[in-house]
Amino acid sequence: MSLSNDNNFNQLQLRVQFYSMPQNEWKKLRPHFPGYTSGLVKSEPGKFVMNPLYGFHAEKLYRMQPRRDDVWLLGFPKCGTTWTSELIWLLMNNCDTARASATHLIFRTPCIELPFLTSETELSPQMMNMLNAIEKMQSPRVLKSHLPFYLLHPDLLDTSKVVYIARNPKDAIVSFYHHTKLVKRHNFQGTLEEFAEYFMEDEILCSPFFPHVLDAWSKRHHPHLHFMFFEDLKKNLRGEIEKVADFLGQSPSNEQLGKITNHLRFDNLKHNDSVNNELGKRTGFMNKDGNFMRKGKTGDWKNHFGPELNSKIDKWIERNLRGSDLTFITELEQQD
């Protein structure tokens, strides 16, 4: 159902406002993020950080009507959404790895806020066409988003099946740091230590991290939500595929499970041009140095954090998880 056909369109109202990031915060960030030429905005309530074009159109995505046969994938950036969206698409499409390899993932499992992730102040015709294409996709759709639940249609969880992918914040920081140096619209010019400070101070795109994850965690017992961890995919990929298949009501054969497990191994995806976003280098979206799919390892933070930074991050994690039963695995003895 399109936005224009939503019977509740005129009644549905997003009770969140977006304001320009406070001058003191933006003054500090600006030299390190020259790609954010139009600045950043924060939501009230929620303090969600995004670029102004999204803030101006946030209600448009809030009103995007979910379908009963949709599968939505949510998660904070660089926590496994690319990996998991390929997994979901395969399960929803008869484990057709040949078709998956022939069509770029961005068209098979589009990110709904992607048309707004630019520094432009107007929605271009090309981006509007991308948004309309999502509305016109044939069912069943597999859609993904880095938006928190409260910025999505309030009926989403009661209407569609939702998978939420979480990752330990230490590796999320490292992965997002490399991502912001790779993608030109971020063009981060600082050090990892500076980026980690911004991450912990909830000043980077899509922050704050913990409210994003904890809100989903609080909904994990809803029958339409499957909450999963990046680290579990690393420990037992096939076992996690089977859990998602069961949640989606799919019954792949042993042969199909073996085929997609091999297809989904991180080292294989990293060299799969329909998934690895190397296209971004050819189109000028990304810098030549680095890779969108980099290491995919749990515990890579140990190669980046010094004792002082690690101690500070440990205290930040402890403070934000106090009173919650959510825990993260930050190291694995064995992983794919």
Side-chain angles (χ1 to χ4, degrees):
M1 184 183 294
S2 67
L3 294 174
S4 59
N5 292 331
D6 184 355
N7 293 329
N8 296 321
F9 184 83
N10 292 324
Q11 291 76 32
L12 195 60
Q13 183 178 358
L14 176 62
R15 301 189 184 280
V16 175
Q17 299 293 321
F18 284 86
Y19 302 94
S20 295
M21 179 175 278
Q23 189 63 30
N24 62 321
E25 294 182 40
W26 176 236
K27 185 177 180 180
K28 181 175 60 174
L29 263 72
R30 187 172 184 174
H32 288 143
F33 288 97
Y36 299 158
T37 55
S38 55
L40 292 172
V41 295
K42 274 192 174 184
S43 74
E44 187 61 48
K47 308 295 184 185
F48 183 72
V49 178
M50 189 50 83
N51 57 306
L53 185 63
Y54 165 76
F56 185 74
H57 291 283
E59 195 146 21
K60 187 183 293 291
L61 293 186
Y62 182 72
R63 294 179 177 189
M64 182 177 283
Q65 181 70 47
R67 302 175 189 169
R68 297 227 170 256
D69 54 1
D70 279 348
V71 181
W72 288 60
L73 171 65
L74 306 182
F76 196 83
K78 305 309 293 179
C79 288
T81 46
T82 298
W83 195 8
T84 312
S85 57
E86 181 78 346
L87 185 164
I88 294 171
W89 188 90
L90 287 166
L91 289 173
M92 295 298 294
N93 288 274
N94 200 35
C95 303
D96 191 345
T97 55
R99 184 177 159 207
S101 297
T103 309
H104 200 284
L105 185 63
I106 196 173
F107 302 112
R108 293 183 282 118
T109 66
C111 177
I112 66 166
E113 65 267 22
L114 183 60
F116 307 105
L117 297 185
T118 75
S119 293
E120 302 298 325
T121 55
E122 299 286 343
L123 192 61
S124 69
Q126 180 185 6
M127 294 297 102
M128 179 59 80
N129 288 339
M130 184 182 295
L131 187 63
N132 290 336
I134 295 173
E135 290 287 338
K136 295 175 182 178
M137 282 180 69
Q138 290 186 345
S139 294
R141 300 182 301 182
V142 179
L143 304 176
K144 63 186 169 213
S145 176
H146 296 307
L147 301 177
F149 270 105
Y150 69 89
L151 293 176
L152 298 169
H153 198 290
D155 294 337
L156 173 61
L157 203 49
D158 290 326
T159 304
S160 308
K161 290 192 173 181
V162 179
V163 176
Y164 189 95
I165 180 72
R167 188 180 192 181
N168 82 78
K170 291 187 175 184
D171 283 320
I173 289 171
V174 172
S175 186
F176 207 178
Y177 162 72
H178 285 286
H179 178 79
T180 56
K181 292 184 75 66
L182 175 67
V183 177
K184 290 182 179 179
R185 68 177 173 84
H186 301 296
N187 199 23
F188 182 65
Q189 299 297 309
T191 65
L192 173 63
E193 289 74 15
E194 289 167 326
F195 183 84
E197 290 289 344
Y198 291 142
F199 198 107
M200 290 186 284
E201 292 172 5
D202 302 331
E203 293 176 336
I204 62 163
L205 217 66
C206 294
S207 61
F209 175 84
F210 279 105
H212 199 298
V213 181
L214 286 168
D215 183 37
W217 181 250
S218 73
K219 296 173 171 61
R220 67 191 182 282
H221 299 304
H222 192 290
H224 282 181
L225 179 64
H226 178 71
F227 192 105
M228 61 190 300
F229 290 96
F230 181 99
E231 293 75 24
D232 289 335
L233 286 167
K234 296 299 299 180
K235 284 192 298 183
N236 183 7
L237 178 57
R238 176 160 174 154
E240 291 302 303
I241 294 171
E242 291 174 348
K243 290 178 185 178
V244 177
D246 183 63
F247 170 69
L248 297 178
Q250 302 298 313
S251 303
S253 67
N254 284 331
E255 181 181 356
Q256 287 176 318
L257 281 170
K259 180 173 70 171
I260 65 172
T261 298
N262 185 62
H263 177 91
L264 288 165
R265 295 201 184 282
F266 195 89
D267 285 345
N268 290 336
L269 284 188
K270 186 174 180 178
H271 296 97
N272 183 337
D273 283 344
S274 71
V275 178
N276 62 19
N277 281 326
E278 288 296 298
L279 176 65
K281 294 179 180 179
R282 298 192 291 273
T283 58
F285 179 71
M286 299 189 310
N287 293 310
K288 297 297 183 182
D289 295 332
N291 300 100
F292 186 86
M293 300 192 76
R294 197 177 57 89
K295 286 187 177 180
K297 293 291 185 183
T298 294
D300 184 46
W301 60 268
K302 292 185 293 182
N303 299 316
H304 294 79
F305 296 169
E308 183 178 350
L309 177 59
N310 189 49
S311 176
K312 185 178 291 188
I313 292 173
D314 280 340
K315 292 175 182 176
W316 170 70
I317 294 172
E318 181 183 3
R319 184 170 63 251
N320 280 278
L321 291 182
R322 193 172 296 142
S324 168
D325 59 352
L326 174 63
T327 59
F328 290 102
I329 295 172
T330 58
E331 300 180 55
L332 291 172
E333 290 185 6
Q334 292 184 320
Q335 56 186 302
D336 286 339

